[in-house]
Amino acid sequence: MAVEFISAVHTTPTTEATPGGRRRESFDPDYTRRFVHALDEGGFDWTLVAYGSSSVDANQLAQFVLNHSDRIAPMLAHRPGFVAPTQAAKVFATLDRIGGGRMGVHVISGGDDHEQRREGDYLDKSERYARSEEFIRILRQIWASDGQPVSHEGRYYRFEDFATDILPVQDALPISVGGSSGQAYRIGGRLGDIFGLWGEPLAETAQQIAAVNAHADAAGRPPPRIWVSFRPIVAATGELAWEKAHDVLGAVRANGSVENWQPSNVGSQRLRAVAARGERHDRALWTPLVDATAQPGSTTALVGSYETVAKALLDYVDIGCELLSIRGWDPLTDAIDYARHVVPLVRQELSHRGATTVKEPA
């Protein structure tokens, strides 16, 4: 199993734990450049370029990442519905050319109706997932066309004799699908090369993986690689890590709490249910930040010494996770700490396992 590490691009130093919370300035080029360099030099393989209705343009940010890195690959989040798939196929292929084959696309259907409507998308969730499925199939058809004309008539998209001179360096960019609903599992299993999950306890994560893989089996295709996301809090000792964790929680709470938060997306609903069962799970999973942040997204932490958190990540590898997403509450400092102290421990153990695996005789 080839295990890779993924982060998420931060374009400012502010997070939910920063005094005053996230601030409105959305793009500090100098900070972003330093953050990308830290990921590149620290041995990360991927970094998510997130999408939000009010955020910096994700396509241009992905190009910024490519221009300021040598090895890291952007995983570009994209919401179908705002750009025609013909145009998107060219944009993604162009970025892949700029990066010399360093690109992936993370297709997000959208779990919040209000957020979708901010940009003029009034489809309901079921239709958004159906549109995403059609969108992915069109991308793959265009990239497999070798520049020959492609026509399509479907429920959400229609075009005739589209041809492009720009194709990816890769045969096709890896396509990631994320989500925690049955619809997400179905599309991810049937079409995804990668499937993204937020960090839940091991048992629940294994159940989600099985659900995705069942759809892949039914479609007669290999299962997607699983991407699991955490926001670890680490230090040289467990005691120091827990002090740091409570400091982070206090800082988040000082920025204001939200009473009776009712998320509309299934992923956040699942995280809230996990948090309601208790603060600590398995080796190092810690949940109070789920409700303290009151935001959709990856908010569960792995807390402990470098060794403890490395072992916790390996627990997820053992149940089938191949991409380990780790990003912090002090983004640049945490990325440097992960690269120095956690990533090497995980890779050393995986290398040791590979070296000591004895093949059964034929």
Side-chain angles (χ1 to χ4, degrees):
M1 179 188 293
V3 174
E4 296 179 305
F5 282 88
I6 181 167
S7 182
V9 177
H10 282 266
T11 58
T12 72
T14 63
T15 71
E16 305 93 330
T18 306
R22 291 185 182 274
R23 292 193 282 274
R24 295 300 296 175
E25 65 268 22
S26 60
F27 182 37
D28 178 337
D30 181 62
Y31 178 86
T32 307
R33 188 179 301 109
R34 288 187 287 126
F35 187 85
V36 171
H37 287 168
L39 298 181
D40 213 36
E41 294 165 5
F44 280 81
D45 302 287
W46 295 89
T47 187
L48 173 67
V49 179
Y51 185 101
S53 63
S54 62
S55 302
V56 60
D57 182 78
N59 295 334
Q60 294 184 63
L61 182 56
Q63 182 173 346
F64 185 94
V65 172
L66 292 169
N67 289 346
H68 294 284
S69 63
D70 294 316
R71 66 180 305 277
I72 198 164
M75 180 65 75
L76 174 60
H78 181 85
R79 285 183 186 168
F82 306 114
V83 177
T86 46
Q87 174 67 13
K90 293 190 296 181
V91 169
F92 303 153
T94 301
L95 289 168
D96 196 50
R97 289 278 165 185
I98 291 170
R102 291 186 290 140
M103 274 296 297
V105 178
H106 182 51
V107 175
I108 47 176
S109 300
D112 185 322
D113 290 346
H114 180 64
E115 168 71 3
Q116 295 296 124
R117 291 170 183 170
R118 286 174 172 169
E119 295 189 283
D121 181 14
Y122 285 81
L123 294 185
D124 64 25
K125 182 178 178 181
S126 177
E127 287 188 292
R128 292 197 297 268
Y129 273 102
R131 180 178 58 194
S132 291
E133 181 170 359
E134 188 174 337
F135 182 88
I136 293 169
R137 292 187 186 279
I138 291 169
L139 289 184
R140 291 223 171 102
Q141 185 181 13
I142 291 171
W143 290 335
S145 69
D146 196 26
Q148 297 303 306
V150 173
S151 297
H152 175 85
E153 184 168 353
R155 181 175 177 181
Y156 301 99
Y157 302 106
R158 176 182 178 183
F159 54 88
E160 297 178 16
D161 293 334
F162 172 77
T164 176
D165 295 328
I166 184 75
L167 293 170
V169 173
Q170 305 170 78
D171 290 337
L173 275 66
I175 291 179
S176 168
V177 176
S180 298
S181 66
Q183 294 163 305
Y185 301 154
R186 179 179 60 82
I187 293 177
R190 290 171 58 177
L191 294 175
D193 300 304
I194 296 168
F195 191 86
L197 297 170
W198 290 336
E200 297 187 16
L202 291 162
E204 285 82 349
T205 303
Q207 291 167 0
Q208 290 188 302
I209 293 172
V212 174
N213 290 351
H215 286 289
D217 290 344
R221 65 187 300 269
R225 302 176 70 202
I226 299 297
W227 158 15
V228 62
S229 179
F230 304 98
R231 297 180 68 178
I233 301 172
V234 300
T237 68
E239 181 179 354
L240 290 173
W242 281 107
E243 288 180 9
K244 186 176 175 181
H246 289 290
D247 286 345
V248 169
L249 180 60
V252 171
R253 286 176 171 166
N255 287 327
S257 60
V258 178
E259 297 292 334
N260 301 317
W261 176 49
Q262 298 296 331
S264 59
N265 63 306
V266 176
S268 293
Q269 293 169 6
R270 289 180 62 98
L271 292 187
R272 289 205 72 196
V274 170
R277 297 206 313 269
E279 292 190 355
R280 298 177 67 168
H281 302 262
D282 302 324
R283 190 188 299 269
L285 188 69
W286 192 56
T287 63
L289 288 158
V290 172
D291 284 326
T293 56
Q295 292 184 16
S298 175
T299 49
T300 49
L302 297 174
V303 180
S305 67
Y306 306 135
E307 294 79 8
T308 296
V309 170
K311 289 177 181 177
L313 289 168
L314 287 162
D315 291 339
Y316 285 87
V317 172
D318 290 339
I319 63 169
C321 300
E322 295 185 58
L323 282 84
L324 304 175
S325 175
I326 50 175
R327 64 184 182 93
W329 303 88
D330 180 0
L332 181 55
T333 299
D334 287 345
I336 292 170
D337 280 351
Y338 300 155
R340 288 177 177 170
H341 302 297
V342 177
V343 172
L345 291 175
V346 174
R347 287 190 168 139
Q348 287 167 14
E349 174 59 21
L350 292 172
S351 178
H352 174 72
R353 292 180 182 184
T356 57
T357 298
V358 178
K359 294 183 179 181
E360 294 293 329

